[in-house]
Amino acid sequence: VQLQASGGGLVQPGGSLRLSCAASGRIFTINVMGWYRQVPGKQRELVALLTRGGRTNYADSVKDRFAISGDNSKNAVYLQMNNVRPEDTAVYYCNARVGRPGGLTDDYWGQGTLVTVSS
């Protein structure tokens, strides 16, 4: 399974950016897709999760500013980032929890896309 993320770049404070991620390969089912971010010297942290059934979960720091959505038919997940702040600067990683027949799951990660918030 491969995850391809895109959409990062330079954005001014208060601006918007949309990240996209698509999973490909031998996929039985995807249970959860999400976005994490990491800055140098810090642990990777959760930004937002989306379950196959449509439930979402957000980090407190991005609630009411970011929105996660997905397309099950395309094995894709998106992150709409609005009103971004300099502290949102990070490498953003896409994650997929892929289910196997029988119930076991595997975690896969995309390559990361850099988001820089700066004027």
Side-chain angles (χ1 to χ4, degrees):
V1 176
Q2 296 82 39
L3 298 180
Q4 182 67 45
S6 61
L10 175 64
V11 58
Q12 292 187 343
S16 296
L17 205 62
R18 187 174 189 247
L19 306 183
S20 300
C21 176
S24 61
R26 295 185 65 179
I27 298 171
F28 177 66
T29 186
I30 296 179
N31 297 335
V32 183
M33 293 192 81
W35 292 95
Y36 292 73
R37 66 187 181 187
Q38 189 170 23
V39 297
K42 291 192 175 181
Q43 285 190 325
R44 191 171 297 186
E45 64 175 8
L46 170 69
V47 177
L49 289 177
L50 174 67
T51 71
R52 185 172 184 83
R55 292 197 308 175
T56 59
N57 187 31
Y58 293 94
D60 288 343
S61 59
V62 306
K63 279 180 182 176
D64 301 322
R65 298 189 299 121
F66 291 8
I68 190 169
S69 61
D71 186 337
N72 289 339
S73 67
K74 297 180 179 179
N75 292 325
V77 66
Y78 311 98
L79 185 69
Q80 179 65 42
M81 306 169 61
N82 298 324
N83 192 23
V84 296
R85 303 167 179 168
E87 54 264 38
D88 294 320
T89 296
V91 177
Y92 284 70
Y93 295 91
C94 174
N95 170 269
R97 180 154 293 174
V98 179
R100 305 184 205 172
L104 294 177
T105 61
D106 298 289
D107 274 343
Y108 294 91
W109 293 92
Q111 81 282 12
T113 184
L114 177 62
V115 173
T116 302
V117 183
S118 175
S119 55

